[in-house]
Amino acid sequence: MNSGDPRHANNPYAGQGGPGGPGGYVANGAYGTQIPPAPARATANRGAWIGAGATLVAAVIGVVGAYLVSSNNNGNANPAPPAAQGPATGTTSPGEEVQGGDKAPSDSSESPEATRSSEVSEAAESSEPPAPVTPSGKPAGTVEWQGALALTYAENKDLDSAPPVHSGINVENDVSIYTFGTTPRMQLGNEVKALVWKDSTKVPAYADCARDIDTLGTSMEVKLKTGLVLCASTNDGRLARLTVKEVGGLASDTNGVFDVVVWSR
């Protein structure tokens, strides 16, 4: 058998005294059978290197993550507190209860003393209604004019002017005097009322006239005599007190002098 025999070509141990023997034959004697090569060690070594590399990468990531967390905590002196536990059902306004939690903090920008002072002031304002104010800005019952007033026949006066004078608009005049027979009388203007004050022990004040004028007042003319005291309401709604100081004369010579106080409405 020559060296060109295929059994020699596939025998790795040919000519080396291997298992094929000196003739180049394989140990089992099968003609043309190839012996598989021995497994390489490089595969096992590669798996070991991959595992070691993965372990090293994980360690580096852990070190870097710890460093970043530490740097973040050092940069924020006051880290935000953790969110409150429990489900939130919706937004809440200050003072409302949060479901499953405590009340929301109230606004403390205003001090308790200022709040109490404001509440006391509001309560005082609501319990004490302001006094009525006249168009002139004076409280009702304030004296607008006081003094002696002369009345003569056919010269009526407007008590709403200060001092009372004759008005060119006749409906604005409140009082005038004339004589019927021998008795002087006071005639009242449109929407004017008057009552005779009969308590001689007391001079009527604003409150007295205000109390009685609507129920006891009349629009009828009044007989005059010295010392008579009248409460009257003007056609603009003011109250007045008229005290007869003197009165006399007949017909067109009728005249009188009155002590008058007019109060604001």
Side-chain angles (χ1 to χ4, degrees):
M1 187 176 293
N2 55 34
S3 61
D5 194 322
R7 291 175 297 178
H8 290 276
N10 295 324
N11 184 6
Y13 305 104
Q16 299 180 8
Y25 292 95
V26 296
N28 55 13
Y31 180 80
T33 302
Q34 295 184 5
I35 298 175
R41 294 182 180 181
T43 302
N45 292 339
R46 187 181 300 110
W49 279 108
I50 291 174
T55 302
L56 179 60
V57 170
V60 171
I61 292 175
V63 172
V64 172
Y67 174 76
L68 292 177
V69 171
S70 176
S71 299
N72 186 37
N73 290 339
N74 292 335
N76 297 328
N78 296 317
Q85 299 298 321
T89 59
T91 59
T92 58
S93 59
E96 292 181 348
E97 291 187 358
V98 179
Q99 182 177 358
D102 298 331
K103 288 184 177 180
S106 60
D107 187 5
S108 59
S109 60
E110 186 174 5
S111 65
E113 292 78 4
T115 303
R116 279 197 297 271
S117 176
S118 177
E119 292 176 353
V120 171
S121 176
E122 291 177 358
E125 290 178 358
S126 61
S127 61
E128 297 179 2
V133 178
T134 67
S136 62
K138 298 178 181 179
T142 303
V143 175
E144 287 198 347
W145 185 84
Q146 181 175 7
L149 177 66
L151 292 178
T152 59
Y153 178 79
E155 189 179 9
N156 43 10
K157 297 290 180 71
D158 179 14
L159 297 178
D160 293 305
S161 62
V165 294
H166 174 73
S167 174
I169 303 174
N170 193 52
V171 294
E172 293 182 354
N173 293 310
D174 297 300
V175 293
S176 62
I177 61 173
Y178 74 102
T179 301
F180 182 77
T182 59
T183 304
R185 298 171 182 260
M186 175 175 284
Q187 189 172 17
L188 305 177
N190 186 36
E191 298 182 358
V192 178
K193 289 184 178 181
L195 67 88
V196 177
W197 186 258
K198 297 182 179 179
D199 186 356
S200 59
T201 64
K202 178 182 180 181
V203 176
Y206 170 81
D208 300 314
C209 292
R211 181 191 64 223
D212 296 337
I213 192 65
D214 289 333
T215 56
L216 301 177
T218 177
S219 58
M220 301 296 291
E221 59 186 31
V222 181
K223 295 180 181 180
L224 299 178
K225 63 179 182 179
T226 303
L228 185 72
V229 179
L230 300 172
C231 286
S233 63
T234 71
N235 49 32
D236 274 352
R238 291 178 176 82
L239 293 179
R241 183 183 67 218
L242 298 90
T243 302
V244 181
K245 305 305 289 182
E246 57 182 76
V247 63
L250 296 174
S252 60
D253 292 331
T254 304
N255 62 83
V257 177
F258 299 81
D259 183 17
V260 179
V261 177
V262 180
W263 293 289
S264 61
R265 60 185 171 91

